[in-house]
Amino acid sequence: MALQSVCGWDVTPSRQILQRDFCRLPHLNSSGYPRLLLPPYKVTSSHRNPSGPPPPAHGTTTLAFLYDKGVMVATDSRSSAGKLVCSPDSRKATLIHSHLIASTSGSAADCQFFGRVLARECRLYQLRNGYMPSVKGAAKMLSTMMLPFRGMDICAAVTLSGWDRNGPCICYVYNDGTRISSDVISVGSGSPYAYSIIDDGYRPGMEEEEARQLARRAVCHAGRRDAYSGGFVDVYMVKESGCEKDAREDLVEMYKRLIQEEKQ
């Protein structure tokens, strides 16, 4: 209660607030039953901070990095709404076209919407020009589509991993229009833990099997440390021949296997 008062999230409003913002519900006219006052829909009980407590962080772990044959992409599979786990086996990577995959973090509805729109625009670009846009070109298209939604209640962070005429490429696009490119990108509430594993084992020009194990280990440890990440580990590879997917593996069983391997 003291922390709520300091932060301005008082659950017991003053008498003036009750009279102005609250509506009375039917009650029994008995001296043994006090009057019951509840707030109407969408009325805050805080007079210090009208917006209320900060919203919970969106939980996920997605990562992508370059290796000798292309781009390695890995995600977890847990979808949450606040502290509630909605789905333990969701898919957080969307195939835009045969050589471009989008791993998403944020609101599932927003990410699916922008993924469909980007896939449509890439297809239209191909019909007009005879070839698909580059990875950076697709990132610029997505950033332009997100700009009109700046300042709105939209949450979508998309990592585009693909292969074009210039080779493998990774771009990150945020819902405010931010667009960056890097060799290693991790997004989500579990990304700090994933970065710690990647920074320890990543090196440019890694072979495919070594890169695959590094990506699995990074997502596994992130899911173990981050309460909002978990479920299964999905690994994708984007090569010159197209996108490939490995069989998903249970995160808990993988962690047990990694511990046994470290002991041996």
Side-chain angles (χ1 to χ4, degrees), residues 197-219:
I197 302 298
I198 295 175
D199 290 342
D200 181 61
Y202 177 76
R203 57 180 177 80
M206 297 177 63
E207 295 183 357
E208 182 174 307
E209 184 59 30
E210 185 181 4
R212 180 189 288 108
Q213 296 303 324
L214 177 63
R216 288 182 177 274
R217 189 166 69 253
V219 175

Side-chain angles (χ1 to χ4, degrees), residues 45-183:
S45 62
S46 174
H47 61 280
R48 297 183 184 178
N49 186 7
S51 61
H58 295 277
T60 189
T61 301
T62 65
L63 60 90
F65 58 84
L66 300 180
Y67 71 105
D68 64 341
K69 294 183 180 179
V71 184
M72 188 67 63
V73 182
T75 70
D76 73 315
S77 66
R78 175 175 292 176
S79 295
S80 58
K83 298 180 180 180
L84 174 66
V85 177
C86 296
S87 175
D89 58 350
S90 60
R91 299 283 182 180
K92 298 184 180 180
T94 303
L95 188 66
I96 304 301
H97 60 77
S98 61
H99 288 74
L100 181 63
I101 192 170
S103 53
T104 58
S105 174
S107 171
D110 297 337
C111 293
Q112 290 179 6
F113 168 75
F114 284 112
R116 292 196 203 99
V117 174
L118 180 60
R120 181 197 66 191
E121 293 300 323
C122 288
R123 177 58 176 161
L124 291 174
Y125 184 94
Q126 183 187 29
L127 293 175
R128 296 189 188 104
N129 300 277
Y131 55 88
M132 283 291 183
S134 63
V135 179
K136 292 184 178 180
K140 187 174 182 179
M141 292 167 56
L142 181 59
S143 176
T144 303
M145 290 185 290
M146 287 182 170
L147 278 175
F149 297 94
R150 185 189 304 186
M152 298 185 181
D153 198 12
I154 299 293
C155 183
V158 182
T159 303
L160 297 177
S161 307
W163 186 290
D164 53 30
R165 290 171 294 178
N166 301 318
C169 183
I170 305 173
C171 291
Y172 167 77
V173 184
Y174 191 55
N175 53 255
D176 62 354
T178 302
R179 176 168 50 95
I180 61 174
S181 178
S182 179
D183 293 345

